[in-house]
C-alpha cells in the first residue's frame, strides 16, 4: 500500500487495493449448486431484510477494459439480481480523472451487454454524486469528524505508521470546525495548489487497521474529468465515494472482492457517521487464472508498451480480446458458474476455461476443412478437368446442421505435416508407397515425390487414387490406418491464419527471480502468423466473428478487424486437445 505518489493520500485511498495471489489450486471441478453469497441473500429475504428486495451493482472504474475476472463479478451481480427479481446497477466509479476515459466507459458497456446482461436505465456514475458527496463531507466537518490537513505526501506517509507501529496525529488534526469549513470551501474554490491540502476523516491514528488512520477523503487535483469537465478541482477518493454511492443507490448487497475486506470498517464508519442507508458488503475471492494476468494496470502496460496489438488483441484476457479470439458468451457464463464463489483466494487452471469453450463450440461450430501449411498433391489417375461434389457432414454432434458439398479434383493441398518421405515408426499418414484416406473422399497412395533441386525440399507429392473407395459408397469398406483432411487447389480460398498460444510461459506469471520484471515471462511464441493457408470454398461466405472447427486442427474464428474482402483472417480460438477433460476424468476414478 505504501507506494510513492505525487498526491498526498492517493497512495492510501485513491489507489484501490491490489489483490494478493495466495495459492494455486486446481480450480473447481463441478458446477456448484449454490454458494455462500446466494445463501446470505436467500436468508436475508427469508428474514424480510430490505423488504425482501435484492439490489446489486457492478461498479467498474473506467480506467481500462474489462477482463475475465470482471466477468465473474458481472455474472454474480447481474445473476443474483435476475434470480431474485431484483435490480443490478451498472455504476462507473469514476473518481480518478487522471486515469479514466470515455473509451473505457464505452468498452465496458459493450462488454456487459455482450455477456447478455441488461441494466435498463440503471446506469450511474459516481461523478453524478460529486455535489452530494461534497455535502456529506461538509456534514462530517460540521460534526467534527473530518479536518483539512496540510501535510504533504511524504509527511503523511511518515505520520501514518506501519503495520506494526501506530501512526501519529497530524499537527492539523485539531483545527476548529469553522477553520475546516473555510479551508475546505476554499479547496473547492481553487485557492490551493494540487496536492497542497487534503480533507481527512478524523478516526484513529493508532488503529491496527491502517485504513482507519485518518484516511484522505478529498484531494486537490486539477484534471479534466470525462463527465464533469473542469467543474471540480477537488475529487473524492475511491474510499469516500464507493460506500456512499452504494448507499445513495439503495444497494442492498454490495458484493466486492476480498481486498476490500479491510476497507469495510471504514465504509461502515462513513455510513454510520452520516446516518444514511447501509448496504451490506460481502467479499468474495477474485478470479485468478494460470498463464495470464488479471490486473488492469498490468494489461494497460502491455498495450502501452506494444507487447500486444491493443486491448482487444486475441491473446489478452480482456472480454474484448477473448471475444475477438472466438470465445462465446455461453462458454464464459458457464465457466463463471462452474468456478463458483468462495471466500479463499485461489488460481483456476486456464485449461478449465478452455474446456468450457470446447464444450460449447463442439456443439455449435460447423466442421470444415482447411490446410494451414499446404503441400501440393497431384492425383495422376484422376481426369484433368473433372470436379466432383462430395457430401460432408457439418456437425456430427448435431444432425440438424445438415451437410454441404466439398469439391474434389485432380490437384489438392494437404498439410505438410501429413506427409513424411521417411516415416518414423508408428507414422501412418502419407509416405512413399503408403495409403491414406482423404476425408469424405477416396483412398490415395503416394507414388512419387517431387523435390526442389536447389534445397531438396518436397514441393509436390504424386499419388493415385482408388475409385472404388469413395466415402459412403457401398464398396468403400477397405480400411487404411489414417484419414487426413485436404482442399481442392482450384477451388480453395486463400486465408491468413493466426495461431495463438498462452500470453505467458509460466503458470504463474509472477513467478520470477528476485528483482526481475514480470514481462520477462511473456511468451515470445504467443502468436504465429500463417499467411498462405487454403480453405474449402464453403468458407468464402464466412462472416466476421463466426467460428468453425477446422477438422483435426482446432477452432478458428473469422477476425472482425483484419479480414478483407479478398482475404479472410482467422484467429485460432483453441486447439482440439482438451487437457481439462483428462484431469476431470482422472479425478472421477474411484
Ligand atoms: P483490476 O484489479 O484488474 O485492476 P479492479 O478491481 O481495479 O480490477 P474495478 O473496475 O474496480 O477493477 O472492478 C469492478 C468490479 O469487478 C469490482 O467489484 C471488483 O471487485 C471486481 N473484480 C475485479 N477483478 C476481479 C477478479 N479478478 N475476479 C472477480 N471480480 C473482480
Ligand atoms: Mg484493483
Amino acid at each position: 500500500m505504501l507506494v510513492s505518489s505525487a498526491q498526498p493520500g492517493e497512495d492510501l485511498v485513491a489507489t484501490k487495493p491490489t489483490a494478493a495471489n495466495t495459492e494455486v489450486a486446481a480450480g473447481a471441478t463441478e458446477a456448484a449448486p449454490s454458494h455462500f453469497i446466494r445463501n446470505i441473500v436467500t436468508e436475508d429475504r427469508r428474514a424480510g431484510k430490505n423488504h425482501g428486495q435484492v439490489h446489486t451493482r457492478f461498479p467498474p472504474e473506467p480506467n481500462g477494459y474489462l477482463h475475465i475476472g470482471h466477468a465473474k463479478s458481472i455474472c454474480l451481480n447481474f445473476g443474483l439480481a435476475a434470480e431474485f427479481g431484483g435490480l443490478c446497477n451498472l455504476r462507473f466509479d469514476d473518481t480518478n480523472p487522471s486515469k479514466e476515459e470515455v473509451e473505457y466507459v464505452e468498452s465496458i458497456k459493450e462488454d456487459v451487454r455482450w455477456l447478455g446482461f441488461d441494466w435498463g436505465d440503471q446506469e450511474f456514475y459516481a461523478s453524478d454524486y460529486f455535489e452530494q458527496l461534497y455535502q456529506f463531507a461538509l456534514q462530517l466537518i460540521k460534526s467534527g469528524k473530518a479536518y483539512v490537513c496540510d501535510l504533504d505526501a511524504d509527511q503523511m506517509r511518515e505520520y501514518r505508521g506501519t503495520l506494526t507501529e501506530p501512526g501519529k496525529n497530524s499537527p492539523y488534526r485539531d483545527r476548529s470546525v469553522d477553520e475546516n469549513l473555510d479551508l475546505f470551501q476554499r479547496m473547492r474554490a481553487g485557492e490551493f495548489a494540487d496536492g497542497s491540502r487534503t480533507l481527512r476523516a478524523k478516526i484513529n491514528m493508532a488503529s491496527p487497521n491502517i485504513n482507519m488512520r485518518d484516511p484522505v477523503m478529498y484531494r486537490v487535483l486539477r484534471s479534466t474529468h470525462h463527465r464533469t469537465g473542469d467543474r471540480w478541482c477537488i475529487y473524492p477518493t475511491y474510499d469516500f465515494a464507493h460506500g456512499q454511492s452504494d448507499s445513495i443507490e439503495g444497494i442492498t448487497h454490495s458484493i466486492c472482492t476480498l481486498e476490500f475486506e479491510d476497507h469495510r470498517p471504514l465504509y461502515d464508519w462513513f455510513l454510520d457517521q452520516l446516518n444514511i442507508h447501509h448496504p451490506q458488503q460481502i467479499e468474495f475471492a477474485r478470479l485468478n487464472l494460470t498463464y495470464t494476468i488479471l490486473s488492469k494496470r498490468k494489461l494497460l502496460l502491455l498495450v502501452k508498451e506494444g507487447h500486444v496489438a491493443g486491448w482487444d488483441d486475441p491473446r489478452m484476457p480482456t472480454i474484448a480480446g477473448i471475444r475477438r479470439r472466438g470465445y462465446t458468451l455461453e462458454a464464459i457464463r458457464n465457466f463463471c458458474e462452474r468456478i463458483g464463489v468462495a471466500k479463499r483466494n485461489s488460481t483456476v487452471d486456464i485449461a478449465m476455461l478452455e474446456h468450457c469453450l470446447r464444450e460449447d463450440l463442439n456443439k455449435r461450430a460447423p466442421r470444415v476443412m482447411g490446410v494451414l501449411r499446404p503441400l501440393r498433391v497431384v492425383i495422376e489417375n484422376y481426369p484433368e478437368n473433372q470436379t466432383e461434389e462430395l457430401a460432408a457432414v457439418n456437425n456430427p454432434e448435431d444432425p440438424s446442421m445438415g451437410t454441404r458439398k466439398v469439391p474434389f479434383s485432380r490437384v489438392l493441398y494437404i498439410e505438410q505435416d501429413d506427409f513424411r518421405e521417411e516415416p518414423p515408426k508408428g507414422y501412418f499418414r502419407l509416405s512413399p508407397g503408403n495409403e491414406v484416406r482423404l476425408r469424405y473422399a477416396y483412398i490415395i497412395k503416394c507414388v512419387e515425390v517431387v523435390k526442389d533441386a536447389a534445397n531438396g525440399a518436397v514441393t509436390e507429392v504424386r499419388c493415385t487414387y482408388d475409385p472404388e473407395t469413395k466415402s459412403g459408397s457401398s464398396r468403400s469398406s477397405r480400411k487404411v490406418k489414417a484419414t487426413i483432411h485436404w482442399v481442392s487447389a482450384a477451388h480453395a480460398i486463400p486465408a491468413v491464419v493466426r495461431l495463438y498460444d498462452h500470453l505467458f510461459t509460466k503458470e504463474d506469471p509472477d513467478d520470477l527471480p528476485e528483482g526481475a520484471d514480470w514481462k520477462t515471462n511473456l511468451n515470445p511464441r504467443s502468436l504465429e502468423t500463417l499467411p498462405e493457408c487454403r480453405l474449402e470454398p464453403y468458407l468464402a461466405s464466412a462472416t466476421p466473428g463466426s467460428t468453425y472447427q477446422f477438422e483435426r486442427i482446432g477452432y478458428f474464428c473469422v477476425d472482425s478487424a483484419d479480414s478483407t474482402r479478398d482475404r479472410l483472417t482467422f484467429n485460432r480460438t483453441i486447439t482440439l486437445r482438451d487437457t481439462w477433460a483428462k484431469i476431470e476424468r482422472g479425478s472421477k476414478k474411484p
Side-chain angles (χ1 to χ4, degrees):
M1 290 287 294
L2 302 181
V3 292
S4 64
S5 162
Q7 299 294 323
E10 271 238 22
D11 49 345
L12 181 60
V13 268
T15 310
K16 292 192 286 167
T18 50
N21 237 2
T22 48
E23 86 199 62
V24 177
T29 44
E30 292 293 301
S34 190
H35 53 71
F36 79 99
I37 299 183
R38 185 181 281 127
N39 295 344
I40 291 173
V41 174
T42 306
E43 177 53 28
D44 285 350
R45 277 165 51 86
R46 203 193 52 75
K49 212 172 146 184
N50 307 304
H51 310 290
Q53 299 297 306
V54 176
H55 198 157
T56 57
R57 85 287 173 262
F58 173 64
E61 183 183 349
N63 60 353
Y65 279 58
L66 297 181
H67 53 59
I68 177 88
H70 292 112
K72 175 177 179 178
S73 175
I74 292 168
C75 290
L76 181 58
N77 280 295
F78 280 94
L80 285 172
E83 185 177 337
F84 294 103
L87 292 171
C88 180
N89 295 357
L90 175 62
R91 184 180 68 245
F92 294 93
D93 271 338
D94 53 353
T95 55
N96 191 355
S98 55
K99 291 192 178 147
E100 296 159 4
E101 286 174 29
V102 175
E103 179 195 346
Y104 299 141
V105 171
E106 293 308 318
S107 74
I108 289 168
K109 290 202 260 183
E110 185 183 348
D111 291 348
V112 175
R113 227 178 269 128
W114 179 73
L115 282 171
F117 296 107
D118 181 7
W119 57 92
D121 53 5
Q122 304 291 112
E123 179 177 324
F124 302 105
Y125 295 80
S127 54
D128 291 344
Y129 313 135
F130 279 173
E131 185 58 41
Q132 174 72 73
L133 292 167
Y134 179 78
Q135 296 300 327
F136 283 152
L138 290 178
Q139 194 182 325
L140 291 179
I141 294 172
K142 285 177 193 158
S143 58
K145 298 293 180 188
Y147 62 97
V148 173
C149 181
D150 302 357
L151 293 181
D152 66 23
D154 290 339
Q155 294 167 319
M156 208 179 282
R157 228 185 321 276
E158 202 186 299
Y159 276 76
R160 191 182 300 134
T162 64
L163 284 174
T164 49
E165 289 164 53
K168 288 184 297 187
N169 283 355
S170 159
Y172 305 98
R173 200 174 198 261
D174 294 320
R175 276 178 165 152
S176 70
V177 167
D178 286 344
E179 190 183 358
N180 283 322
L181 276 177
D182 174 60
L183 286 172
F184 186 53
Q185 279 156 354
R186 287 165 60 194
M187 277 168 66
R188 178 181 185 169
E191 287 188 31
F192 307 120
D194 283 16
S196 62
R197 287 196 155 98
T198 57
L199 181 72
R200 300 176 69 177
K202 196 170 183 177
I203 311 180
N204 178 6
M205 287 306 292
S207 171
N209 182 344
I210 292 185
N211 295 301
M212 301 298 274
R213 294 184 190 167
D214 291 11
V216 172
M217 295 162 56
Y218 270 89
R219 71 262 202 224
V220 182
L221 175 64
R222 282 167 183 84
S223 176
T224 304
H225 188 281
H226 66 105
R227 283 177 69 85
T228 58
D230 294 317
R231 221 172 304 151
W232 293 87
C233 64
I234 55 171
Y235 289 97
T237 54
Y238 181 84
D239 275 351
F240 185 61
H242 186 77
Q244 278 64 261
S245 301
D246 277 350
S247 176
I248 292 167
E249 292 175 15
I251 300 304
T252 57
H253 300 84
S254 173
I255 300 166
C256 60
T257 36
L258 282 178
E259 66 269 27
F260 290 96
E261 199 165 18
D262 291 345
H263 294 237
R264 175 152 38 92
L266 174 60
Y267 297 170
D268 288 344
W269 187 88
F270 282 133
L271 296 170
D272 290 344
Q273 298 303 322
L274 293 166
N275 194 23
I276 52 178
H277 165 69
H278 201 137
Q280 179 183 1
Q281 176 169 314
I282 308 168
E283 305 89 11
F284 71 101
R286 58 191 284 124
L287 170 67
N288 299 300
L289 267 185
T290 56
Y291 295 105
T292 194
I293 44 167
L294 299 181
S295 148
K296 278 188 284 190
R297 190 179 58 78
K298 287 184 176 173
L299 294 173
L300 175 65
L301 276 177
L302 294 183
V303 173
K304 279 202 168 151
E305 294 178 5
H307 300 286
V308 292
W311 283 100
D312 68 345
D313 185 300
R315 287 167 291 183
M316 291 280 271
T318 51
I319 311 272
I322 61 183
R323 173 170 63 233
R324 189 167 165 199
R325 173 95 170 244
Y327 272 73
T328 59
L329 70 102
E330 289 82 0
I332 296 169
R333 287 178 64 159
N334 181 245
F335 170 72
C336 290
E337 188 64 37
R338 290 179 63 156
I339 54 176
V341 180
K343 205 58 189 172
R344 202 181 58 158
N345 275 321
S346 65
T347 300
V348 175
D349 191 332
I350 199 166
M352 184 181 171
L353 173 64
E354 296 170 344
H355 169 73
C356 292
L357 178 63
R358 286 188 186 97
E359 227 176 35
D360 188 45
L361 293 179
N362 181 44
K363 283 182 281 181
R364 62 166 86 214
R367 274 49 170 175
V368 292
M369 292 195 284
V371 175
L372 302 190
R373 297 173 182 86
L375 172 62
R376 203 175 133 90
V377 171
V378 178
I379 302 177
E380 293 183 337
N381 60 341
Y382 197 85
E384 289 264 356
N385 296 312
Q386 182 173 315
T387 302
E388 263 179 277
E389 300 268 304
L390 304 172
V393 176
N394 287 335
N395 188 341
E397 302 288 322
D398 181 359
S400 76
M401 286 171 71
T403 58
R404 67 184 186 287
K405 294 279 193 248
V406 183
F408 183 85
S409 63
R410 180 180 155 91
V411 182
L412 312 172
Y413 288 118
I414 64 166
E415 218 60 73
Q416 286 170 17
D417 215 33
D418 284 334
F419 173 80
R420 286 278 210 293
E421 193 179 8
E422 285 160 27
K425 197 166 175 283
Y427 185 93
F428 299 117
R429 289 168 278 166
L430 201 60
S431 59
N434 195 34
E435 284 187 324
V436 287
R437 173 169 286 285
L438 295 175
R439 179 83 160 140
Y440 300 120
Y442 301 95
I443 290 176
I444 59 168
K445 179 179 192 169
C446 170
V447 292
E448 193 193 335
V449 181
V450 183
K451 290 186 192 174
D452 182 323
N455 62 13
V458 176
T459 54
E460 186 178 291
V461 176
R462 313 282 299 186
C463 294
T464 54
Y465 86 116
D466 178 351
E468 301 293 305
T469 58
K470 186 168 172 174
S471 284
S473 82
S474 55
R475 289 180 299 185
S476 74
S477 61
R478 198 148 71 77
K479 291 264 185 296
V480 287
K481 283 200 169 140
T483 301
I484 64 173
H485 61 274
W486 54 274
V487 293
S488 163
H491 303 89
I493 60 162
V496 177
V497 171
R498 295 189 293 218
L499 304 180
Y500 292 105
D501 199 353
H502 294 148
L503 193 49
F504 288 88
T505 52
K506 292 238 176 91
E507 226 176 67
D508 174 6
D510 290 321
D511 174 11
L512 288 160
E514 188 73 21
D517 184 341
W518 56 276
K519 280 168 276 166
T520 55
N521 280 337
L522 275 168
N523 180 3
R525 278 183 283 277
S526 58
L527 167 61
E528 183 184 358
T529 303
L530 303 173
E532 292 297 337
C533 307
R534 293 288 181 274
L535 313 177
E536 64 167 274
Y538 177 70
L539 287 169
S541 58
T543 49
S546 52
T547 305
Y548 297 85
Q549 185 194 99
F550 291 6
E551 291 206 35
R552 301 177 61 229
I553 308 179
Y555 293 98
F556 294 80
C557 172
V558 182
D559 191 80
S560 15
D562 297 332
S563 293
T564 63
R565 275 180 79 89
D566 308 332
R567 193 165 288 225
L568 294 175
T569 293
F570 280 82
N571 300 324
R572 180 169 71 194
T573 309
I574 192 80
T575 58
L576 294 176
R577 206 163 64 96
D578 192 338
T579 52
W580 186 258
K582 254 184 238 153
I583 295 171
E584 268 195 343
R585 251 181 269 124
S587 70
K588 275 182 191 147
K589 274 184 199 139

